[in-house]
Amino acid sequence: MAARPPPWEALLRDEPLVREAAALAVDRALLEGVLMRTEQEANSSDVVSYAPFTLLPSVVPSALFEQAYAVQQDFNLLVDTISRNEEFLEHALAGTIKVDDFTAQLFKIYKQVLKEGLAQSVFLGINRSDYMVDCGADGTPALKQIEINTIAASFGGLTSRTPSLHRHVLRVLGKSEEALKILDNNPAKGIALGIAKAWELYGSDRAVVMFLVEESQRNIFDQRCIENELWTRNIRVIRRRFKDVFEKASLDHDRRLCLEGQEVAVVYYREGYMPKNYNKQNWEARLLIERSKAVKCPDIATQLAGTKKVQQELSQPGALERLLPTQAEAVARIRATFTGLYSLDMGEEGDKMVAVAIADPERFVLKPQREGGGNNLYGEELKQLLEKIKDSPERTSYILMDKIKPQPSVNYLLRAHGPLKIADCISELGIFGVYIRQGKDMVLNKHVGHLLRTKAVEHADGGVAAGVAVLDTPYVI
Ligand code: ADP
Ligand code: MG
Ligand code: MG
């Protein structure tokens, strides 16, 4: 993301110094709670390790950092607006749900819940809009959106602990003035405030907040940061899986969600965003939760609003203007972050884009309707797949996107048992947004912090959970 090299770049070539700093950094990370459970023992905290992180912060140009913050409330508004627009969702996803079973299943629940009528009246959105800095043909850096995550956007907890870690490393390297420039950041606090407010508006003192969690809970510490903020406010938190909901939950006559004798006010999903999260019972559990009066974060409509296909539809001329007709400035701010996005729907336009991508695969990223990293196709793989499916409706389950090309900068990616070696890296900046709607009224709309993730350039795809990117801290100059 570097527009100019960081002031410590030369030090990164001093291997003994780097080795010493890395050892100090790891211990500081552990002390700060930049933690993850191990792959071998994902459901026990007996032995834990540090979450992977960069040895040093990465430069983010201040104008672009501010731009990303400035557009976050617009994105919150946009996501909420889409989630309430049945016609838009129906139209945007019509082709996709014919060929993508996962999106189709989500859509089926969406329609079923609408048909019955929503019992829910308070809506909580927690999202993270992700960006990279594109160098552009003329070398002018521009902020370009990668995607927006409307479900289970993670690392808002651990990222609040990297500023002190990176300040420490900078001090160790004799860069104490630079250390002072590292910004504080605490998305977990803002996320928890959102959950707390939604819980309050739900209006039952005895009700609990349920974190819906995966079977494998490696990233539990990130979630605990939010949970603990809620406990501090005397809000009870329980952690359950879809399986528990299937076996033990029910709706009462007012469609209150009850589980083990407790009423659930808010369901916060840290699961449920990929096909492997679901079997038949889990889909039933999801439906039960969606039908309930509980505040779902997100509700199924908002999850659908975060699909790659919707992102592509938003880039169509006039789409944003139709969704936000009275918000010209917001529309302009949002559109400025878009890069080229292309539909592969059947028809002439789609045919043309398939041909262009096959001829120049390095220009694009091919994306299926998936979350969690590691699903996109690039280069030769992209070309081969498109050649195979170019005449089949299967192609409509993908979207095509211009590849964003940030300028690499050098850093060390520290991970347990990993080798210490210098790498050319690129970063992705995410801004967390939180909003609450009660009936038709937006009662809260905020940005609550940021996340910087960095990976070696040779990895085209993948986040921190996927084992590719690592946690970083922006050095905003
Ligand atoms: P997911 O929902 O699985 O995280 P993303 O759209 O964020 O899907 O893609 C995963 C990763 O692929 C991103 O974190 C980024 O590293 C890379 N990526 C995605 N889109 C682009 C793009 N247009 N240009 C360059 N890299 C991209
Ligand atoms: Mg995503
Ligand atoms: Mg992503």
Side-chain angles (χ1 to χ4, degrees), residues 128 130 132 134 144-149 273 306 308 311 339-341 363-376 378 400-406 426-428 453 455 459-464 468-469:
R128 200 190 66 223
D130 292 334
M132 280 185 180
D134 196 34
K144 292 294 165 193
Q145 188 182 46
I146 295 283
E147 62 151 350
I148 188 159
N149 294 290
Y273 52 89
K308 310 284 190 286
Q311 182 187 6
T339 186
L341 289 143
R363 219 190 100 190
F364 300 101
V365 181
L366 184 64
K367 299 189 172 187
Q369 309 306 308
R370 292 291 173 270
E371 296 296 329
N375 300 298
N376 301 337
Y378 302 81
L400 197 62
M401 184 173 184
D402 282 341
K403 196 193 279 175
I404 300 166
K405 294 175 177 153
I426 55 175
S427 304
E428 186 171 342
R453 291 173 298 163
K455 63 177 185 177
H459 291 289
D461 200 327
V464 181
V468 171

Side-chain angles (χ1 to χ4, degrees), residues 72 76 87 90 93 95 218 259 334 340 347 353 416 420 451:
Q72 187 54 41
N76 290 348
E87 202 188 320
E90 181 114 41
L93 296 171
R218 259 195 99 183
L259 182 128
I334 291 171
M353 281 322 295
L420 185 67
L451 167 71

